[in-house]
Amino acid sequence: MSDLAYIAAELQARGKTVTCAESCTGGLLAAALTELPGSSAFFDRGFITYSDKAKQQVLNVNANTLRHYGAVSEETVREMALGALIATKNDFALSISGIAGPDGGSDDKPVGTVWFGFATKQRIWAKQHHFSGSRSQVREQAVQYALAILAHYLKTTPA
């Protein structure tokens, strides 16, 4: 069973909901989460906050966080996930912010650097991963990685 099929079945069985806050993936995670029929049982909205301004206005990411750490950072994805969770009152929130390329990278944050946030009502996690390939490959790998984070949580946490 794919991560997506497992996530859909498990969220429906548990009666839980998920939202997402995306930057570099531009809605691809929301598209993946709604790919299967019946997804409205566990997904009703997501946020595409590509600009810093959108992150601040829609998800309440602190301007100081963005200024000090940047959009592609642990601190920002934590605030994105929390903002999405609060806005939707869902059970889980995934956030993604990264540098898909081909430009925009730096020595500290090369192209392919992506940060992921995951929030529940009890805790917020963040993880960084580096992907390689074209812009579209980095974005697709980021979506699959975010789905794997949620699948892993559901597999390792009792209902």
Side-chain angles (χ1 to χ4, degrees), residues 81-145:
L82 179 61
L85 197 70
I86 290 169
T88 61
K89 297 179 177 50
N90 282 182
D91 300 292
F92 309 115
L94 289 161
S95 62
I96 303 175
S97 188
I99 304 163
D103 303 319
S106 66
D107 288 341
D108 289 344
K109 297 176 185 177
V111 170
T113 301
V114 182
W115 273 97
F116 300 86
F118 178 63
T120 69
K121 292 178 180 177
Q122 293 78 31
R123 188 169 170 206
I124 304 171
W125 294 264
K127 186 167 179 66
Q128 180 189 57
H129 196 81
H130 293 276
F131 300 102
S132 60
S134 68
R135 178 179 178 81
S136 62
Q137 289 170 325
V138 168
R139 288 163 37 112
E140 183 55 36
Q141 290 172 82
V143 168
Q144 294 309 312
Y145 195 86

Side-chain angles (χ1 to χ4, degrees), residues 2-78:
S2 71
D3 280 347
L4 184 56
Y6 174 79
I7 288 166
E10 194 64 21
L11 288 174
Q12 288 181 40
R14 294 184 187 201
K16 300 293 184 183
T17 55
V18 64
T19 187
C20 60
E22 304 179 66
S23 188
C24 68
T25 49
L28 294 174
L29 179 57
L33 287 166
T34 58
E35 187 174 308
L36 298 175
S39 57
S40 61
F42 61 85
F43 186 89
D44 74 333
R45 75 186 95 170
F47 304 92
I48 302 168
T49 55
Y50 206 72
S51 70
D52 286 358
K53 182 178 178 181
K55 288 174 183 65
Q56 292 172 61
Q57 290 177 343
V58 177
L59 301 172
N60 292 315
V61 173
N62 191 301
N64 289 330
T65 300
L66 291 162
R67 189 170 30 260
H68 188 72
Y69 300 103
V72 181
S73 66
E74 174 180 357
E75 293 79 8
T76 296
V77 295
R78 285 175 174 271

